[in-house]
């Protein structure tokens, strides 16, 4: 079948046509799912009344429509959820400029361990060249497989189901939950959080996004947060790889902020985040129920900061052939990461300084940034991994004794317990 790019050319990312506010939307959704401890009944009442009516859904490959949503409690077992940020301007107004095609310039996989003891979020570089499997055509039939294409063309090739199939093939994981997020609502979502303190270690000055930040800590929200997460030319080496690590500075601070602030108990803020996101999302049918979103949140609300890891899929630049100007995957190193995820092991970078080219360790980080890990319980009742609730049901207790897997040096990132600063682009 003819590749759809022949009919709709994919835009090469020009300097003035590459705003990426969708990164903020994708990351807020990831963190909202990962750290929000809410009363299931109260939140479901809000969400079902208004939020669910605004959600668009799509069926993933093999997904059964109308599957029953889980009860309002921590979801049973582990979770793999793919978050995709589209750069499409369709229906988004004129504020974001023009583009052609519909690229997934943000692709993030969130894994929750089976025992709810850890979470790992993997960012995939948009220009990483990977095999793309045969994907269903939304209009009927299927598209042919391709041996080597940038991962961010999958959304334009076969929609959200194609991106999911590609990441499943790349990681060896089954991904039952997925969300595609559009531009609008980004500022409202950041305002609902109330601001995030972000450390900058040296000046950031990006004429393309208008972001100018002096060294120091800045409380970012609204348009300022949007600009920070859009900036590529202003951080690291000006590449998407640098932007990923700079964004992880924001993500880790956001997790800490939501854990320590009143946001977690403020239903008004939580509802504002949910509504801003849902009105600009396409969800897999498995994820469309507010009950499911709450169940996933409840599975993660008690994870220690040092067990929430943000990492980048490993790759190198400077290749030739199909990799010229792109990112070449390091499959062997990635296998270490995904073997750990398959085994539900927490992960950590090779050393605390391995934060990537867009971030550095905060020189003024608190001496006790990482919380102490509690000792494993010696109580044999209830059974290991289970805790009895007042209503007689059981929920899984995190296995805090697990030792994090140290990742290869090529895999950069940080845990939410590690304080880092965004690094400006010196070029």
């Amino acid at each position: 079948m003819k590749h759809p790019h022949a009919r709709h050319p994919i835009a090469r990312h020009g300097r003035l046509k590459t705003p990426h506010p969708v990164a903020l939307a994708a990351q807020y959704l990831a963190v909202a799912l990962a750290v929000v401890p809410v009363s299931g009944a109260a939140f479901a009442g809000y969400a079902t009344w208004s939020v669910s009516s605004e959600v668009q859904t799509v069926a993933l490959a093999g997904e059964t429509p109308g599957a029953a949503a889980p009860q309002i409690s921590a979801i049973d077992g582990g979770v793999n959820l793919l978050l995709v940020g589209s750069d499409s301007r369709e229906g988004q107004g004129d504020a974001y400029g023009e583009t052609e095609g519909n690229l997934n310039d943000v692709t993030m996989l969130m894994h929750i361990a089976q025992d709810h003891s850890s979470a790992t979020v993997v960012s995939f570089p948009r220009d990483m060249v990977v095999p793309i499997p045969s994907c269903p055509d939304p209009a009927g039939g299927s598209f042919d497989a391709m041996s080597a294409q940038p991962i961010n063309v999958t959304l334009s090739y076969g929609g959200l189901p194609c991106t999911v199939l590609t990441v499943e093939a790349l990681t060896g994981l089954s991904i039952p939950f997925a969300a595609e997020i559009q531009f609008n609502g980004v500022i409202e979502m950041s305002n609902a959080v109330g601001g995030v303190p972000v450390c900058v270690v040296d000046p950031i000055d990006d004429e393309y996004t208008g972001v100018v930040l002096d060294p120091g800590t800045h409380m970012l929200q609204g348009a300022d947060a949007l600009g920070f997460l859009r900036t590529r030319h202003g951080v690291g080496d000006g590449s998407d790889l640098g932007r990923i690590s700079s964004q992880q500075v924001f993500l880790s601070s956001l997790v800490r902020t939501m854990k320590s602030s009143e946001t977690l108990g403020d239903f008004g803020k939580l509802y504002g985040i949910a509504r801003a996101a849902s009105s600009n999302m396409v969800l897999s049918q498995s994820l469309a129920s507010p009950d499911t979103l709450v169940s996933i949140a409840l599975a993660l609300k008690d994870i220690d900061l040092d067990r929430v890891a943000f990492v980048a899929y490993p790759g190198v630049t400077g290749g030739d052939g199909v990799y010229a100007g792109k990112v070449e995957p390091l499959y062997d190193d990635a296998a270490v990461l995904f073997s750990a995820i398959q085994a539900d092991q927490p992960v950590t970078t090779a050393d605390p300084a391995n934060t990537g080219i867009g971030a550095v360790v905060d020189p003024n980080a608190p001496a006790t940034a990482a919380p102490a890990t509690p000792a494993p319980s010696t109580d044999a009742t209830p059974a290991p991994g289970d805790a009895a609730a007042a209503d007689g049901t059981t929920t899984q207790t995190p296995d805090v004794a697990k030792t994090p897997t140290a990742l290869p040096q090529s895999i950069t990132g940080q845990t939410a317990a590690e304080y880092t600063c965004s690094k400006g682009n010196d070029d």
Side-chain angles (χ1 to χ4, degrees):
M1 182 170 184
K2 189 176 181 181
H3 195 297
H5 299 156
R7 302 190 303 270
H8 304 289
I10 297 299
R12 297 185 64 85
H13 290 269
R15 295 163 73 88
L16 293 177
K17 294 185 179 181
T18 321
H20 294 281
V22 69
L24 179 58
Q27 292 158 355
Y28 270 114
L29 177 61
V31 176
L33 290 175
V35 301
V36 175
V38 296
S39 163
F43 185 81
Y46 265 132
T48 303
W49 173 62
S50 179
V51 174
S52 60
S53 65
E54 301 173 354
V55 174
Q56 301 179 58
T57 63
V58 63
L60 303 182
E63 188 172 37
T64 302
Q71 297 298 312
I72 298 298
S73 62
I75 198 165
D76 186 19
V79 171
N80 290 324
L81 188 157
L82 193 70
L83 302 165
V84 171
S86 166
D87 76 346
S88 171
R89 276 46 161 193
E90 183 177 357
Q92 304 292 293
D94 300 327
Y96 308 115
E98 299 177 359
T99 191
E100 297 178 8
N102 180 24
L103 305 177
N104 46 297
D105 278 344
V106 173
T107 304
M108 301 170 63
L109 173 65
M110 182 175 69
H111 171 76
I112 305 168
Q114 179 82 12
D115 62 0
H116 305 165
S117 65
S118 63
T120 304
V121 179
V122 183
S123 293
F124 297 81
R126 69 178 191 184
D127 293 326
M128 188 168 69
V129 175
V130 299
I132 297 177
S134 176
C135 291
D137 182 350
S142 62
F143 294 123
D144 293 337
M146 296 182 289
S147 62
Q149 289 287 332
I151 195 171
N152 73 337
V153 307
T154 55
L155 196 59
S156 63
Y157 192 52
L160 185 59
C162 189
T163 307
V164 170
L165 287 171
T166 301
V167 176
E168 285 183 331
L170 188 62
T171 64
L173 301 173
S174 174
I175 303 174
F177 303 106
E180 174 190 340
I181 305 173
Q182 300 291 335
F183 285 2
N184 288 337
V186 172
I187 290 177
E188 288 81 357
M189 289 166 66
S190 67
N191 286 336
V193 173
V196 176
V198 173
C199 171
V200 175
V201 76
D202 47 26
I204 295 176
D205 189 348
D206 184 359
E207 63 180 303
Y208 304 104
T209 59
V211 175
V212 178
L213 294 173
D214 294 327
T217 299
H218 302 265
M219 182 64 72
L220 301 180
Q221 71 179 96
D224 293 334
L226 175 71
F228 177 81
L229 288 168
R230 283 179 56 195
T231 183
R232 171 166 57 94
H233 299 286
V235 295
D237 61 354
S239 71
D240 187 55
L241 298 178
R243 178 167 54 185
I244 285 174
S245 52
S246 179
Q247 289 168 347
Q248 290 171 346
V249 173
F250 186 98
L251 278 175
S252 61
S253 181
L254 177 58
V255 172
R256 294 191 299 270
T257 299
M258 294 185 73
K259 284 274 195 178
S260 63
S261 71
E262 296 180 358
T263 299
L264 300 178
D266 189 329
F267 290 109
K269 287 184 178 180
L270 296 177
Y271 174 66
I273 294 170
R275 182 162 189 173
S278 66
S279 61
N280 296 281
M281 295 193 312
V282 176
L283 300 176
S284 63
Q285 292 179 345
S286 60
L287 194 61
S289 167
D291 294 357
T292 305
L293 295 172
V294 173
S295 294
I296 292 174
L298 290 173
L300 286 147
K301 67 183 180 68
D302 294 326
I303 296 178
D304 289 340
L305 292 174
D306 59 351
R307 299 301 174 94
V308 179
F310 301 96
V311 297
Y313 192 103
V316 294
T317 58
D320 52 19
V322 296
Y323 300 115
K326 302 295 182 182
V327 178
E328 180 177 358
L330 296 176
Y331 292 114
D332 290 344
D333 289 356
V336 177
L337 168 63
F338 292 106
S339 291
I341 288 176
Q342 286 274 20
D344 278 335
Q345 292 292 322
V347 299
T348 186
T349 56
D351 62 75
N354 198 28
T355 53
I357 55 181
V360 295
V361 175
D362 185 349
N364 300 311
T368 56
T373 301
S377 173
T378 56
D379 186 0
T381 306
D386 292 335
D391 62 1
T393 61
T394 60
T395 56
Q396 292 180 315
T397 301
D399 178 2
V400 297
K402 288 182 178 178
T403 300
T405 297
L407 300 173
Q409 190 72 25
S410 63
I411 301 179
T412 61
Q414 65 175 92
T415 69
E418 295 171 311
Y419 287 69
T420 54
C421 298
S422 184
K423 183 181 183 300
N425 184 358
D426 295 331
D427 294 341

